[in-house]
Amino acid sequence: MVSSELPKTGFLAHASSDLADLLNSVATEVDLEEGEVLFEQGDIGDALYAIVSGALEFSILSREGRKLSLDVMRPGALFGEIALFDPGVRTATVTALQPSRVRGVKNADIMTAIRKKPELGIDLIQLAGERMRWMSSQLNDQVFLPMPARLARKILYLTVDGSGHLSLLTLSQAELAEFVGATREAVSKTLSSWKRAGVIDATRGGVRVLDRNALQVMADLHQV
Amino acid sequence: MVSSELPKTGFLAHASSDLADLLNSVATEVDLEEGEVLFEQGDIGDALYAIVSGALEFSILSREGRKLSLDVMRPGALFGEIALFDPGVRTATVTALQPSRVRGVKNADIMTAIRKKPELGIDLIQLAGERMRWMSSQLNDQVFLPMPARLARKILYLTVDGSGHLSLLTLSQAELAEFVGATREAVSKTLSSWKRAGVIDATRGGVRVLDRNALQVMADLHQV
DNA sequence: CCGCAGATGTGAAACGCTTCACAGACCGTG
DNA sequence: CACGGTCTGTGAAGCGTTTCACATCTGCGG
């Protein structure tokens, strides 16, 4: 049923072993191609997932088809926890950005596991808590910050990686625009001005961070 | 320690009895005057609260002091669940809109209770799930909807009450503006136009809904 | 019943972002 | 190596909302 090693990064790094045990016993593995959708906002879902390898995008959609991307999730990340005890409509869409492998555990299996090992329930509440904090900060940013500050924050956020900082972010300007909730043109214009200032270097299909501190300043400024 | 009856409305209406038992045994009661702040974004907190009576406002703050109000919570509502297993900085501010009474249960007490009654952990994950769904919809609204649609939605949302619909919403236009994330002037102008159309009636310090269906339409429209 | 503070109405100007339109750059593929 | 499609840069006009500046209303305390 399970064929590959579970990573010890992301949320899994500090969760109790009960969670890893669960993912090693009753989970089913799913492989995704680049661009494949694991589940979509509006689907009925009752499974929690853990990322084994690859990278998945987490986004929400408007009724008119506009997309707001929120996160790029990497190995060790857990998601889909809302559906755990409130199996129902998914509130977000998850898409593979690269060929990826995930493990899913069904609602019912987690319920029985929690009744046997309450510690597991505590882990999952903590997971939900972290997600809530994070969602709350996203709402804060979207409501209170002007576009350039949101852009700076997302670039900084998406270039941290367990150990340290990645300087290169491989997202097109169109994709970045979906992350900040703005148009490609607006993103292009601010990136251009930052490039002129030597803060970043923009190449086709990617952004390289040159001066992290300067970006940090942009992220706090309310005017450019 | 506990002197008054716990309501059977809100989240408490469909939670397991373990939760009510917990709130009846180890909880401490707090009385709040109108305008009093129970906790503030940034505080360290480790308690979950249930509302016994009154009404509390749930809001988030920007660093510059702007406020986005999200909800008015009423008897039977539970909140502060993020702090449960991730005791740390509160992500929101809770203020009494009227004299209110709440019951708080500490992190540690809930942890021991869950280890004895795993069912309780399931209840709390469900609570977290509901909150997540709701936060997600708030983010969706704020990002994708124009101000008039957000205003219509908030008015509709804040005038439902367990049994049916309240027609009168007692919030000033300035307060409504904080709920929709806009200025008082902008809110005043759209309310005026709706008043002219006979959809609502605006009096000093309150809005009365006359035509719920028409408001429903405004809530879905992307242009006025 | 007067006065006054807070609540509401409304217009004009400014601003940030979108929309639209298009030009140029890059890159895989035939 | 030329072509087509995607990605990027940028200007001009438009739109919704904020900001600012007042006028007006309303209810309560003196």
Side-chain angles (χ1 to χ4, degrees):
Chain A
M1 198 173 222
V2 149
S3 59
S4 46
E5 200 69 23
L6 209 58
K8 287 182 210 65
T9 50
F11 186 82
L12 288 174
H14 58 275
S16 75
S17 61
D18 295 330
L19 187 55
D21 292 347
L22 183 69
L23 287 165
N24 281 321
S25 54
V26 295
T28 48
E29 242 171 36
V30 182
D31 281 309
L32 299 160
E33 297 167 23
E34 179 170 340
E36 202 175 336
V37 174
L38 178 60
F39 58 75
E40 201 154 357
Q41 189 171 327
D43 288 358
I44 301 295
D46 67 342
L48 171 80
Y49 294 94
I51 302 182
V52 177
S53 65
L56 308 189
E57 183 192 75
F58 177 85
S59 61
I60 62 177
L61 305 170
S62 77
R63 211 155 326 135
E64 287 67 38
R66 271 186 64 197
K67 173 166 89 170
L68 179 72
S69 304
L70 289 171
D71 202 1
V72 175
M73 303 182 294
R74 304 192 174 279
L78 261 79
F79 61 93
E81 76 285 343
I82 300 187
L84 279 192
F85 290 89
D86 197 9
V89 158
R90 309 225 80 130
T91 61
T93 298
V94 172
T95 317
L97 291 174
Q98 312 164 7
S100 304
R101 170 168 294 175
V102 301
R103 270 187 215 172
V105 187
K106 282 237 153 63
N107 183 342
D109 292 332
I110 297 177
M111 292 245 267
T112 48
I114 288 181
R115 291 202 177 84
K116 265 180 269 177
K117 302 234 174 199
E119 213 62 42
L120 187 59
I122 293 176
D123 272 352
L124 293 173
I125 291 180
Q126 188 178 356
L127 173 64
E130 285 185 12
R131 185 85 66 208
M132 272 297 304
R133 274 176 205 283
W134 185 82
M135 281 288 283
S136 192
S137 75
Q138 296 300 306
L139 181 57
N140 224 304
D141 289 359
Q142 284 292 335
V143 174
F144 294 124
L145 299 180
M147 185 273 285
R150 298 202 305 271
L151 180 57
R153 283 167 119 88
K154 272 293 176 190
I155 292 175
L156 289 170
Y157 173 73
L158 293 174
T159 51
V160 288
D161 180 24
S163 45
H165 301 320
L166 312 164
S167 66
L168 183 64
L169 180 62
T170 50
L171 288 174
S172 72
Q173 298 190 350
E175 288 171 312
L176 263 179
E178 289 178 336
F179 272 92
V180 299
T183 59
R184 183 197 59 82
E185 293 90 328
V187 168
S188 179
K189 280 162 192 173
T190 46
L191 284 183
S192 291
S193 82
W194 291 349
K195 190 157 65 167
R196 256 173 258 128
V199 175
I200 59 162
D201 188 24
T203 58
R204 188 185 173 80
V207 173
R208 183 174 299 282
V209 179
L210 299 177
D211 186 344
R212 231 181 144 73
N213 290 336
L215 258 194
Q216 208 45 274
V217 172
M218 306 295 185
D220 286 329
L221 243 47
H222 278 230
Q223 63 278 25
V224 195
Chain B
M1 198 174 220
V2 148
S3 58
S4 45
E5 201 68 24
L6 209 57
K8 287 182 212 67
T9 50
F11 185 82
L12 288 175
H14 58 273
S16 74
S17 61
D18 296 330
L19 187 55
D21 292 348
L22 183 70
L23 287 165
N24 280 322
S25 55
V26 295
T28 47
E29 241 170 37
V30 181
D31 280 310
L32 299 159
E33 297 167 23
E34 178 170 340
E36 200 174 336
V37 173
L38 178 60
F39 58 75
E40 203 154 357
Q41 188 171 329
D43 288 359
I44 301 293
D46 66 342
L48 171 81
Y49 293 94
I51 303 182
V52 177
S53 66
L56 309 188
E57 182 192 76
F58 177 84
S59 60
I60 62 177
L61 305 170
S62 77
R63 211 157 324 136
E64 288 66 38
R66 270 186 66 196
K67 175 166 86 169
L68 179 72
S69 304
L70 289 171
D71 202 2
V72 175
M73 303 181 295
R74 305 192 174 277
L78 262 79
F79 60 93
E81 74 285 342
I82 300 188
L84 279 191
F85 290 90
D86 197 10
V89 157
R90 309 225 79 131
T91 61
T93 299
V94 172
T95 316
L97 291 174
Q98 312 164 7
S100 303
R101 170 169 294 174
V102 301
R103 271 188 214 170
V105 188
K106 282 238 156 63
N107 182 342
D109 292 332
I110 297 177
M111 293 245 266
T112 48
I114 286 183
R115 291 203 178 84
K116 263 179 270 175
K117 303 230 174 201
E119 214 61 42
L120 187 59
I122 293 176
D123 272 353
L124 293 173
I125 290 180
Q126 188 180 355
L127 173 63
E130 285 186 12
R131 185 84 65 209
M132 273 296 304
R133 274 177 205 283
W134 186 81
M135 283 287 284
S136 192
S137 75
Q138 295 300 304
L139 181 57
N140 223 306
D141 288 359
Q142 284 292 334
V143 173
F144 295 124
L145 299 180
M147 185 273 283
R150 298 202 304 271
L151 179 58
R153 284 168 118 86
K154 273 293 176 192
I155 293 175
L156 289 170
Y157 174 73
L158 292 174
T159 50
V160 287
D161 181 25
S163 45
H165 302 320
L166 312 164
S167 66
L168 183 65
L169 180 62
T170 51
L171 288 174
S172 72
Q173 298 191 350
E175 289 171 311
L176 264 180
E178 290 177 336
F179 272 91
V180 297
T183 58
R184 182 196 61 79
E185 292 90 329
V187 167
S188 179
K189 281 163 192 173
T190 44
L191 284 183
S192 291
S193 82
W194 290 351
K195 189 157 64 168
R196 256 173 258 127
V199 176
I200 59 162
D201 189 25
T203 58
R204 189 186 174 80
V207 173
R208 183 175 299 281
V209 179
L210 298 178
D211 186 344
R212 231 180 144 76
N213 290 337
L215 259 193
Q216 206 49 271
V217 172
M218 305 293 185
D220 285 329
L221 245 46
H222 278 228
Q223 63 278 23
V224 195

